[in-house]
Amino acid sequence: PLEYPLDKDSVLTSLSAISRGLIPTLYSKGMSMCEMMRHYLILSHRLDNDNDCTRELGNLLDMLSRQSTIELRFHVGDWVECNMEEGWMKGVVTKQWARGYSYEVILVESGTAASPFDTDEYVRRPELRFSVGDRVECCMEEGWMPGTVRKHWSEVNGNPYEVALDSYKKWEFCTAPCDMDDYIRALNE
């Protein structure tokens, strides 16, 4: 087992090293800053319920998470679904490493969610309604325009759909930011 000095400066140095991935035994793929901190505290036998300690650790987590080089799977603006008590709920990632959690997500239904781990058990790409090749129409500035789904999960901006619109040139396309009827719907031909 690793031993850590427990004075404040050493704790800050150790936590900073954890956030940069320099102490790999405390970090495993998908673990949030919050879980790394809990892991650290358990290993150092310092887990307690002191509110001042909790607040200070929360501030420390936010500071460290902004410096973290741990790469997450989803980016701000990505369409995801979160595992909630009520079941899987769809939403959009609004922050990475928020309050020590991997993601903060604004939910379509209402409210926000924070994902403690970057794993499919907690947050994942949702199944999409339309397949590649399906005929759809997209809400554009000009109104609803027909097209064909040409790709899932655009490399351009991470949106769920790339759609080749009938009125555009072959190499031009639009993207639907989320899989909702307000943006993309089945075409009734």
Side-chain angles (χ1 to χ4, degrees):
L2 296 172
E3 292 184 23
Y4 296 99
L6 297 178
D7 63 57
K8 186 175 182 178
D9 290 336
S10 295
V11 169
L12 291 174
T13 301
S14 296
L15 291 173
S16 182
I18 292 167
S19 76
R20 292 190 312 272
L22 300 179
I23 304 176
T25 57
L26 289 181
Y27 174 74
S28 59
K29 188 170 178 61
M31 187 179 283
S32 70
M33 291 295 290
C34 187
E35 287 300 316
M36 288 192 311
M37 177 67 78
R38 190 174 297 124
H39 218 147
Y40 174 84
L41 291 172
I42 289 169
L43 286 174
S44 65
H45 305 288
R46 288 298 220 183
L47 189 59
D48 60 30
N49 292 323
D50 181 346
N51 284 337
D52 289 336
C53 179
T54 303
R55 186 173 28 262
E56 192 171 325
L57 289 176
N59 292 337
L60 181 60
L61 276 174
D62 283 342
M63 179 195 74
L64 292 174
S65 64
R66 286 190 295 275
Q67 299 173 10
S68 177
T69 58
I70 298 168
E71 194 169 319
L72 298 175
R73 296 176 300 153
F74 304 114
H75 299 81
V76 171
D78 281 358
W79 181 246
V80 296
E81 56 185 5
C82 299
N83 192 355
M84 307 293 288
E85 287 181 21
E86 305 85 7
W88 288 96
M89 298 182 80
K90 293 182 171 119
V92 176
V93 174
T94 56
K95 290 181 184 173
Q96 290 184 327
W97 299 120
R99 299 180 326 270
Y101 290 94
S102 300
Y103 302 104
E104 183 175 273
V105 176
I106 188 162
L107 301 171
V108 171
E109 299 295 319
S110 71
T112 59
S115 175
F117 293 99
D118 184 22
T119 64
D120 282 345
E121 183 181 346
Y122 294 93
V123 62
R124 66 184 184 196
R125 289 207 186 276
E127 289 189 29
L128 300 177
R129 296 178 296 158
F130 305 111
S131 299
V132 171
D134 283 357
R135 296 284 293 154
V136 296
E137 53 185 353
C138 296
C139 185
M140 305 291 289
E141 286 182 23
E142 303 88 1
W144 287 96
M145 303 193 68
T148 304
V149 175
R150 74 178 206 173
K151 188 177 196 176
H152 289 153
W153 307 113
S154 173
E155 292 161 8
V156 174
N157 54 19
N159 287 345
Y161 296 104
E162 278 187 10
V163 178
L165 298 174
D166 296 351
S167 60
Y168 285 27
K169 298 175 183 167
K170 277 188 175 183
W171 61 87
E172 293 180 324
F173 61 92
C174 74
T175 61
C178 52
D179 191 6
M180 297 174 58
D181 280 341
D182 292 346
Y183 300 97
I184 186 170
R185 63 187 184 196
L187 177 65
N188 295 323
E189 292 186 289

